[in-house]
Amino acid sequence: MRPLEQHLELVITETDIDDNWQLKDIDTTLHPYRDQIRAVDKQIREALNSL
């Protein structure tokens, strides 16, 4: 499998997660990265479909 062209790094702090280590508000946390998430998702799907 080839390396992806896009990558995404997020900083998630303790204030973003609850006692069960789940994001409290996933939309607020991920919304600023929506376009990057979609680009990475597309590349992953294309890579998997080419196997």
Side-chain angles (χ1 to χ4, degrees):
M1 189 180 294
R2 62 181 169 76
L4 298 177
E5 296 172 15
Q6 298 278 334
H7 71 277
L8 179 63
E9 294 182 34
L10 299 173
V11 175
I12 298 175
T13 66
E14 289 182 15
T15 60
D16 297 320
I17 57 174
D18 63 18
D19 293 336
N20 294 317
W21 292 88
Q22 302 296 310
L23 286 173
K24 292 177 182 176
D25 188 351
I26 194 166
D27 187 52
T28 299
T29 304
L30 299 181
H31 184 76
Y33 307 98
R34 181 186 63 223
D35 293 339
Q36 286 179 289
I37 292 168
R38 288 182 177 154
V40 170
D41 177 62
K42 180 181 176 187
Q43 289 179 30
I44 291 171
R45 285 185 284 118
E46 289 172 353
L48 291 173
N49 287 332
S50 68
L51 293 177

